[in-house]
Amino acid sequence: MSTPEELSIQMAHHSAIRSMQRIVEQQASASPETEARAGVQQMLAAGRVLVVTGAGVSTDSGIPDYRGPQGSLQRHRPMTFQEFRYRPEARQRYWARGYVGWRHMDKAEPNQIHRRLVQWEETGKISGIVTQNVDGLHQQAGSRRVIPVHGDLSIVRCLDCGNSENRNDFDLRLQAANEGYLEAVEIDPAAVNPDGDVELPQYLVEQFNMVSCLRCGSLALKPDVVYFGESVPVERKERIAALEAESDALLVMGSSLAVMSGYKILLNFVKRELPVALITNGHVRGEQKATWRWRVPLEQALRQLD
């Protein structure tokens, strides 16, 4: 019979599975294109626009999205926090696959969308960015006011003692422990998932040698990202709330807002009766509440905006 703690873990895991399987379907028609473009331009001209970005912003950098037609959820279910925390074999599988996938993620570079957002920040059009992406490309492009709501793949943290380590330094330790491993692996870069994970055969997972925490020796090391089934840190929520409070409009780019961390921001702006614009090639959770819905590829939209 399961203990109360085990039941709680199982419930959190199942809730996480339901969240990642959420399908965002059409809830409202797109706005007329000229009207949507004018609305977004008007917001940017007034300034103090908070931008929320999702995986669609990074696809032109070679990183796939989650929920699009070619998204990684079509072929891969991300690991939940409960699996990662309580199943050592799941961590072994993640790090073997993540070690290989990091070769691709670390080479990704900012694209024109990231660079345009830097320009908008420098000219006072936007107040900041809340990104659901964990690739660090906004910061690499030069954006200064960025809150990565789901964390950053470039940091590794110990679940037992809290010690953190730069991912590149951690990767060097993995390379030393796994000489010749990468040469035995052939992958299609297009198969790398947004969290740096990539499919590997089980025999390669078993051959992978994991390294331990530099402080306490634990093997419970995790990329400093928020997994499905894990809560966004309170300090990060407070920073997002402060950025919301100083913003007069919301612009969502390349996100379906399927998870609550992004959807809640939209609800907050709607509650304050402030303008909300969506630029996406798909559908957005709560899109019927938005002021403007511009369904267009992001790069095409940016060519039409000052």
Side-chain angles (χ1 to χ4, degrees):
M1 184 174 179
S2 298
T3 66
E5 181 182 16
E6 290 170 338
L7 287 173
S8 177
I9 291 169
Q10 291 171 14
M11 289 177 63
H13 168 71
H14 292 312
S15 176
I17 297 294
R18 289 194 299 271
S19 176
M20 70 177 69
Q21 291 176 337
R22 180 179 291 113
I23 298 174
V24 179
E25 298 178 333
Q26 180 169 336
Q27 299 164 313
S29 300
S31 304
E33 185 170 356
T34 54
E35 179 182 316
R37 180 174 59 248
V40 174
Q41 191 66 71
Q42 177 184 338
M43 285 171 44
L44 292 171
R48 292 169 59 92
V49 177
L50 173 61
V51 178
V52 171
T53 66
V57 165
S58 292
T59 53
D60 283 355
S61 294
I63 299 174
D65 64 8
Y66 273 112
R67 288 182 167 81
Q70 306 301 319
S72 65
L73 286 180
Q74 303 294 325
R75 63 178 186 272
H76 163 74
R77 178 179 72 75
M79 191 178 301
T80 69
F81 174 73
Q82 290 71 33
E83 289 173 304
F84 194 96
R85 183 68 180 95
Y86 300 105
R87 292 178 54 195
E89 70 276 13
R91 290 198 298 271
Q92 170 77 9
R93 184 173 70 251
Y94 172 80
W95 280 117
R97 292 154 48 147
Y99 173 60
V100 176
W102 181 247
R103 317 265 79 72
H104 177 71
M105 293 290 290
D106 194 40
K107 292 178 181 177
E109 296 184 352
N111 60 53
Q112 61 179 347
I113 302 170
H114 299 105
R115 291 190 287 270
R116 175 60 70 86
L117 288 170
V118 173
Q119 295 173 359
W120 285 354
E121 181 182 34
E122 290 174 344
T123 54
K125 291 181 172 66
I126 66 175
S127 55
I129 300 169
V130 174
T131 184
Q132 297 175 306
N133 300 336
V134 296
D135 51 39
L137 292 179
H138 284 301
Q139 299 92 319
Q140 188 177 330
S143 290
R144 295 184 296 275
R145 302 197 74 188
V146 183
I147 302 176
V149 62
H150 294 153
D152 192 330
L153 275 175
S154 68
I155 300 171
V156 177
R157 194 173 300 279
C158 178
L159 292 174
D160 289 332
C161 74
N163 185 60
S164 62
E165 183 177 4
N166 179 277
R167 180 66 177 264
N168 286 325
D169 294 337
F170 177 72
D171 188 65
L172 289 175
R173 295 203 292 132
L174 288 178
Q175 288 184 46
N178 292 276
E179 291 187 12
Y181 189 87
L182 292 172
E183 288 74 10
V185 179
E186 292 185 10
I187 64 166
D188 176 1
V192 179
N193 300 309
D195 56 3
D197 196 2
V198 65
E199 294 293 333
L200 286 180
Q202 183 60 28
Y203 78 91
L204 284 176
V205 172
E206 294 171 355
Q207 290 177 9
F208 180 74
N209 296 314
M210 183 56 179
V211 297
S212 60
C213 172
L214 291 171
R215 178 189 288 172
C216 73
S218 170
L219 291 175
L221 299 175
K222 173 179 170 290
D224 194 21
V225 300
V226 176
Y227 277 32
F228 285 96
E230 185 177 9
S231 297
V232 174
V234 173
E235 175 271 338
R236 205 171 297 161
K237 291 180 179 178
E238 292 173 345
R239 289 172 56 206
I240 292 171
L243 190 52
E244 287 183 40
E246 63 178 80
S247 303
D248 295 330
L250 174 67
L251 175 60
V252 178
M253 300 177 64
S255 173
S256 65
L257 300 185
V259 295
M260 183 54 71
S261 58
Y263 182 50
K264 185 176 184 295
I265 297 175
L266 180 146
L267 294 178
N268 290 341
F269 275 80
V270 170
K271 184 176 181 180
R272 293 168 60 195
E273 299 183 344
L274 294 173
V276 174
L278 315 174
I279 305 179
T280 175
N281 216 14
H283 297 293
V284 180
R285 187 180 180 187
E287 61 185 20
Q288 75 277 15
K289 304 175 188 293
T291 316
W292 298 288
R293 294 171 293 275
W294 193 2
R295 293 208 185 108
V296 63
L298 289 177
E299 67 278 7
Q300 184 176 326
L302 289 180
R303 288 197 295 268
Q304 303 176 57
L305 296 169
D306 297 330

